[in-house]
Amino acid sequence: MTGTILRGRVLTFVDEPQGADDQASYRYYEDGAVFIADGKIVAVGDYHKANIAGATVIDHHPNLILPGLIDTHVHYPQMQVIGSYAGALLEWLTTYTFVEEQKFGDGVHAARIASRFFDELIRHGTTTAVTYCSVHKVSAEAFFAEAEKRNMLAIGGKVMMDRNAPEALRDTPQQGYDDTKALIAEWHGRGRARYAITPRFAITSSPEQLEMAEALAREYPDCHIQTHLSENLAEIEFVKELYPNLGTYTGIYERYHLLGPRTLLGHSIHLSHHEAELLADTRSVAVFCPTSNLFLGSGLFDYERLHKHGVRIAVATDVGGGTNYSMLKTLDEGFKVLQLRGQRLTPLNAFYLMTLGNARALSLEGTIGSLVPGADADLVVLDARATPQMALRMETVSTLAGELFLLQTSGDDRSIAEVYVAGRAMKTTLPN
Ligand SMILES: [Zn+2]
């Protein structure tokens, strides 16, 4: 059988780790083989048991082979404002973001940045990203066109926003509906593309626009929905002024039937007991964005509390409020956020979250996020000796968990030795 065997130390999760050394939560092959053909994973196991007749073998030892990393919340039009000197969320939005995103009405600019965006994802080992485009239809077209060129499983949507933003960034309820509908018709389910209905957040969407988002969600139940929730205290106060009769911020999205198992709620930091229950009951996903939450001083995500409520949790970079494209760096900062809350994120849990955990949050387990037969062949190869200090530290690392933790605390794009998208090597062919 023709195909490719990726040989190396293979790690894939099968369930959420319960504790720091839950060996039942993962499969690990010291000399492992992932057999891929036609963009899919055919078999995973020990190399010496694999049938290698006719297959090309690529040996990645001593590196680790994992499923490609998944980012569940990122804004591609913010690539050129990442790291802008700002205070909190609303200042950051008005001073930088709402100025920058106006450029994406220009299809040439959007295409250039979209191309650079997917370059950065690959460079950092991310094979799927759930992405906010700008308000402009053309920005979403550029995003999906670039993902299609690379055969990447990408989820995205044009933001719907009809108030509290510069005129050049506002649609209308009807325009936002029509453009979203046209984009879904053109892209959703085409190749590996999937659409996310994207009302930016309650501040920038009028009740009429949220009604339109509700109509879209009803018409297209297999699309994702993404928005922002309870990121910052000033934001929450403003939202309450705008929707004085709906009780809580989460209650607004509930009122417009935007909560559910395909809904991703960026940040979800400052939530009442009732709001946490609402997220759990509707199976909505709270998206933890640690580098962004620290950079904008938004607050400390309460992982344990939401987890105890049974809320589904994902992790994400939130570039450009987030400060790094790397999911390794993101979980490094996530670990520190939880330290400040007196909570512990184990190395196994961190790598579960970047892979299978995020895939489950997207209801895409079996397709991405784990190395199982039938899954798409999206993989990342991690090098824990990528820098001199990491190589030196690795001399004293004796466990898999220790190696994972070093990758998380010291790793970045240099630790990504290779990336496979639908079976094709992508990183080593990238321009520098
Ligand atoms: Zn965001």
Side-chain angles (χ1 to χ4, degrees):
M1 184 174 182
T2 57
T4 304
I5 288 182
L6 305 181
R7 183 180 185 184
R9 297 167 54 233
V10 175
L11 174 65
T12 184
F13 287 88
V14 294
D15 212 341
E16 182 179 1
Q18 309 295 320
D21 190 32
D22 179 5
Q23 296 186 11
S25 67
Y26 64 87
R27 301 282 177 270
Y28 174 67
Y29 305 93
E30 182 70 27
D31 188 4
V34 183
F35 190 170
I36 58 183
D38 299 325
K40 300 272 186 191
I41 295 172
V42 179
V44 182
D46 286 317
Y47 179 76
H48 69 272
K49 290 184 194 158
N51 175 15
I52 59 169
T56 307
V57 178
I58 302 172
D59 194 344
H60 285 292
H61 275 105
N63 293 335
L64 281 167
I65 300 173
L66 272 80
L69 309 181
I70 301 168
D71 185 352
T72 54
H73 181 129
V74 56
H75 300 254
Y76 101 82
Q78 296 175 14
M79 289 190 82
Q80 290 187 299
V81 289
I82 186 172
S84 294
Y85 179 74
L89 171 68
L90 300 180
E91 179 196 332
W92 187 80
L93 281 175
T94 50
T95 313
Y96 303 105
T97 306
F98 285 171
V99 179
E100 181 66 18
E101 289 192 8
Q102 296 182 36
K103 297 179 189 165
F104 286 77
D106 171 4
V108 174
H109 179 74
R112 171 172 176 255
I113 301 298
S115 171
R116 297 297 291 270
F117 177 68
F118 284 100
D119 283 355
E120 283 315 308
L121 294 184
I122 293 297
R123 206 184 305 286
H124 290 84
T126 298
T127 49
T128 286
V130 188
T131 307
Y132 288 70
C133 303
S134 73
V135 72
H136 314 95
K137 183 166 174 263
V138 70
S139 77
E141 286 163 351
F143 168 81
F144 284 118
E146 192 62 38
E148 185 171 70
K149 266 189 213 165
R150 300 167 194 240
N151 198 18
M152 290 175 74
L153 196 164
I155 304 173
K158 82 149 217 114
V159 294
M160 303 166 72
M161 49 195 291
D162 68 340
R163 64 175 179 182
N164 293 315
E167 193 179 348
L169 278 193
R170 292 199 302 262
D171 54 12
T172 62
Q174 190 63 47
Q175 191 68 47
Y177 175 87
D178 292 345
D179 285 352
T180 300
K181 208 172 161 69
L183 285 165
I184 292 171
E186 188 176 356
W187 291 104
H188 184 62
R190 171 167 153 182
R192 303 183 74 197
R194 288 159 189 267
Y195 198 85
I197 299 161
T198 311
R200 186 176 201 125
F201 65 152
I203 287 181
T204 49
S205 282
S206 65
E208 295 72 29
Q209 180 154 71
L210 291 186
E211 267 174 34
M212 289 302 203
E214 178 182 5
L216 288 163
R218 205 170 33 238
E219 286 175 67
Y220 303 100
D222 61 334
C223 284
H224 285 87
I225 299 169
Q226 60 179 348
T227 187
H228 296 81
L229 171 67
S230 292
E231 177 174 2
N232 162 291
L233 296 175
E235 171 212 15
I236 294 168
E237 283 313 303
F238 192 15
V239 164
K240 283 182 180 165
E241 285 171 31
L242 292 167
Y243 290 91
N245 302 320
L246 292 179
T248 64
Y249 197 159
T250 310
I252 298 165
Y253 298 139
E254 182 197 25
R255 157 72 179 76
Y256 294 97
H257 300 97
L258 295 171
L259 301 179
R262 293 192 165 267
T263 300
L264 305 165
L265 299 161
H267 307 293
S268 301
I269 299 172
H270 311 281
L271 298 176
S272 69
H273 177 80
H274 173 71
E275 288 179 287
E277 296 212 310
L278 204 45
L279 296 194
D281 291 347
T282 56
R283 307 207 68 246
S284 305
V285 177
V287 184
F288 178 23
C289 307
T291 72
S292 170
N293 298 162
L294 292 171
F295 181 68
L296 295 172
S298 302
L300 304 176
F301 186 85
D302 197 341
Y303 191 97
E304 248 175 49
R305 177 167 165 262
L306 293 182
H307 195 266
K308 273 185 193 144
H309 268 99
V311 176
R312 297 164 77 209
I313 296 172
V315 287
T317 64
D318 191 30
V319 161
T323 50
N324 204 294
Y325 294 89
S326 168
M327 290 305 294
L328 299 172
K329 279 271 150 283
T330 297
L331 271 296
D332 178 33
E333 298 298 304
F335 174 83
K336 295 172 192 171
V337 166
L338 299 198
Q339 284 278 60
L340 288 167
R341 281 214 173 265
Q343 302 173 11
R344 289 279 281 275
L345 184 68
T346 74
L348 289 180
N349 281 91
F351 279 79
Y352 163 79
L353 282 169
M354 288 179 233
T355 57
L356 180 59
N358 273 351
R360 284 179 168 177
L362 299 174
S363 305
L364 287 174
E365 65 272 27
T367 302
I368 55 173
S370 58
L371 306 179
V372 290
D376 295 349
D378 292 349
L379 304 95
V380 64
V381 181
L382 298 176
D383 177 5
R385 297 170 186 81
T387 65
Q389 73 91 5
M390 290 177 78
L392 186 68
R393 179 68 176 87
M394 270 301 281
E395 291 177 13
T396 63
V397 168
S398 58
T399 63
L400 177 63
E403 181 178 354
L404 296 176
F405 199 59
L406 176 62
L407 279 162
Q408 175 185 315
T409 50
S410 297
D412 53 29
D413 53 319
R414 293 168 294 182
S415 307
I416 309 298
E418 187 52 279
V419 178
Y420 293 90
V421 170
R424 196 154 64 93
M426 302 286 277
K427 176 155 181 178
T428 48
T429 59
L430 267 187
N432 282 317

